[in-house]
Amino acid sequence: MRSSALLKQIAPLVSRTWYRLSSVAAHSELVLHTDPVLPVIDFSSFASKNDTNDYPRDIIEKLANACEHVGFFYAIGHGIPNELLQRTLSVTRQLFNLDSKIKNQYASRLFVNSPKVGNLLGGLGRGYQSVGENVTNSLRDRHEGFDLYRELDSNHPARLQFNEKSSSNKNLPDYREMAIGWNPWPKEFPLFKETINEYKSAMLQAGARVMRGIALSLNLPLNHFESTFNDSFWVIRCIRYPSVYPEDMKSPEYGHGCGEHSDYGWLTFVNQDLDSRNCLHVRTNDASKATYVSADPIVVQEQIALTCNIGDILAFITKNKYRSTRHCVVNPVKPARERVSIPFFFEPNIDAKLHISDTTPECYYGEYLINKVRNNFNYDNN
């Protein structure tokens, strides 16, 4: 996509920094510009269902244009108090400041290939990852993570189908490890679970609000996607990107803080430190010499905006009318402090049937997810 297409008909916009890299892995000098970057969309009109369908057409059209040409936008009017967004970041920072011996008691590597999960602890992909255990494009990512997934209730049908009596049933869907997992909440820091659960509830409401707008932007009924998300198998990644010296960025083993990728799910919301600058880089073209913009956090009318982006599934079901844009995260450069961010992935129900590829048959969302998660990590010594 040409840069002119990116900017076409998008307003209001926010001024930010553009830069060019000679390649995804390289850390070359920045070519600075002062051009507008991401559109700002106000979702307050979609807070509740309005049977009259009397929604502002200008906002719906702006959202459609952002999803089609950019794939990223800033969301305001999302309904989440600034205090909760900031408190969740603060509590996440406290989590990562715990002693490494404590964090590693809850390491996701402990649950790899575990045939059973007991004592309400653990599950595939859930828990703590040290720097370098996440992998993107065959390179280690330079960040710590703590991954959390929806915990299905003990009597949830998607969990019960995998009880011991049905273990020999070969017709069951292939997402057992996801369905039976529990998050390994650190008992030394109960405030983390308390805060994340509050944050999760608020994010689910925000996700539903944004999806109402997206449905209308596709000329679909307001509640078109509701049955797909009414039991959302959400994902939260708590991430800390350490600050580094420029000379430390070049490594044959390590890439960026998080290497360039598109999100493989449906819709992503990023809550990030307000002092984070020039870290989240959004690709603006598909040419070999990539051009990026820096999606820095912003505050609009005293509201902290969430940085949102379209995922691969939503792009596919719209026949790529809506854009799943590649992006990466670059570590802060010293003396800047470490960067904490909390992406919330608003995802379908685990048992939602989806057709998500031209080359594969329809599958359950849980099957799609588990195949992605299995390739996310490298737990060898790093």
Side-chain angles (χ1 to χ4, degrees):
M1 177 188 293
R2 295 187 180 91
S3 297
S4 58
L6 172 68
L7 301 177
K8 184 181 179 182
Q9 298 178 358
I10 294 176
L13 297 165
V14 183
S15 289
R16 280 298 178 268
T17 300
W18 287 55
Y19 69 96
R20 183 181 301 276
L21 292 177
S22 61
S23 69
V24 172
H27 295 270
S28 56
E29 291 186 2
L30 304 184
V31 179
L32 299 178
H33 304 273
T34 54
D35 289 313
V37 177
L38 302 181
V40 178
I41 313 291
D42 186 347
F43 288 92
S44 56
S45 299
F46 309 103
S48 60
K49 301 174 186 177
N50 183 348
D51 293 335
T52 66
N53 283 329
D54 186 20
Y55 291 95
R57 289 306 309 174
D58 58 334
I59 293 178
I60 294 170
E61 291 170 2
K62 184 175 14 172
L63 175 60
N65 192 60
C67 293
E68 182 174 351
H69 295 295
V70 190
F72 270 75
F73 53 86
Y74 291 117
I76 60 173
H78 44 66
I80 304 177
N82 289 351
E83 185 276 334
L84 178 57
L85 294 173
Q86 292 294 90
R87 175 159 47 91
T88 307
L89 288 166
S90 175
V91 168
T92 296
R93 180 169 268 105
Q94 293 174 57
L95 171 78
F96 286 120
N97 285 338
L98 293 174
D99 187 274
S100 60
K101 291 182 179 179
I102 294 176
K103 291 185 290 187
N104 280 299
Q105 292 176 24
Y106 306 97
S108 58
R109 76 179 81 89
L110 300 177
F111 310 110
V112 176
N113 300 322
S114 175
K116 291 186 178 181
V117 178
N119 301 319
L120 303 186
L121 176 67
L124 177 68
R126 301 173 190 250
Y128 172 71
Q129 303 109 38
S130 62
V131 174
E133 287 187 329
N134 279 271
V135 174
T136 308
N137 303 323
S138 301
L139 291 174
R140 296 185 183 276
D141 292 326
R142 206 183 296 268
H143 72 253
E144 287 181 276
F146 202 106
D147 288 6
L148 305 160
Y149 293 78
R150 162 78 185 279
E151 295 176 304
L152 300 179
D153 296 337
S154 297
N155 60 352
H156 193 289
R159 178 186 288 275
L160 290 176
Q161 67 182 326
F162 296 106
N163 60 29
E164 292 184 4
K165 293 181 180 178
S166 62
S167 59
S168 60
N169 186 347
K170 299 185 182 301
N171 294 320
L172 290 172
D174 181 22
Y175 57 75
R176 176 185 178 276
E177 294 165 284
M178 280 295 166
I180 68 171
W182 302 97
N183 292 322
W185 301 103
K187 64 180 185 297
E188 296 86 353
F189 191 33
L191 183 61
F192 178 64
K193 179 178 181 180
E194 175 186 325
T195 306
I196 290 294
N197 279 333
E198 182 182 357
Y199 179 74
K200 171 262 298 180
S201 297
M203 288 302 314
L204 285 172
Q205 293 184 43
R209 183 181 298 199
V210 172
M211 283 310 304
R212 292 184 197 115
I214 287 179
L216 293 175
S217 76
L218 291 164
N219 296 314
L220 296 170
L222 180 75
N223 63 351
H224 179 80
F225 296 109
E226 189 170 306
S227 62
T228 305
F229 295 95
N230 58 6
D231 198 21
S232 171
F233 200 79
W234 52 265
V235 182
I236 293 176
R237 295 210 69 218
C238 299
I239 309 174
R240 177 166 72 173
Y241 299 91
S243 55
V244 297
Y245 291 106
E247 58 268 24
D248 295 333
M249 289 184 175
K250 298 177 181 179
S251 167
E253 185 178 5
Y254 282 83
H256 291 305
C258 185
E260 188 184 281
H261 64 285
S262 60
D263 290 347
Y264 51 70
W266 194 280
L267 187 66
T268 305
F269 298 81
V270 177
N271 177 23
Q272 55 183 323
D273 283 333
L274 288 179
D275 61 352
S276 173
R277 291 290 180 269
N278 201 27
C279 292
L280 175 55
H281 295 165
V282 178
R283 186 163 179 159
T284 64
N285 68 346
D286 298 320
S288 58
K289 193 171 185 180
T291 303
Y292 298 78
V293 296
S294 180
D296 295 340
I298 65 168
V299 178
V300 180
Q301 299 172 356
E302 299 185 353
Q303 297 179 66
I304 297 174
L306 294 170
T307 308
C308 302
N309 63 282
I310 302 299
D312 293 347
I313 299 177
L314 186 52
F316 179 79
I317 68 168
T318 62
K319 298 182 179 179
N320 291 315
K321 177 180 180 180
Y322 283 3
R323 180 183 177 94
S324 181
T325 301
R326 295 180 68 82
H327 53 283
C328 64
V329 179
V330 175
N331 294 79
V333 176
K334 290 180 181 290
R337 72 166 178 165
E338 65 199 14
R339 175 183 186 263
V340 170
S341 71
I342 311 172
F344 180 91
F345 301 91
F346 188 66
E347 304 295 359
N349 307 342
I350 194 170
D351 56 358
K353 273 288 191 77
L354 300 169
H355 186 203
I356 51 181
S357 169
D358 286 327
T359 59
T360 58
E362 185 180 59
C363 69
Y364 292 103
Y365 169 70
E367 294 176 316
Y368 172 80
L369 174 64
I370 202 167
N371 285 323
K372 295 293 185 179
V373 173
R374 285 170 177 160
N375 295 316
N376 280 353
F377 306 106
N378 181 346
Y379 294 118
D380 294 336
N381 293 332
N382 58 82

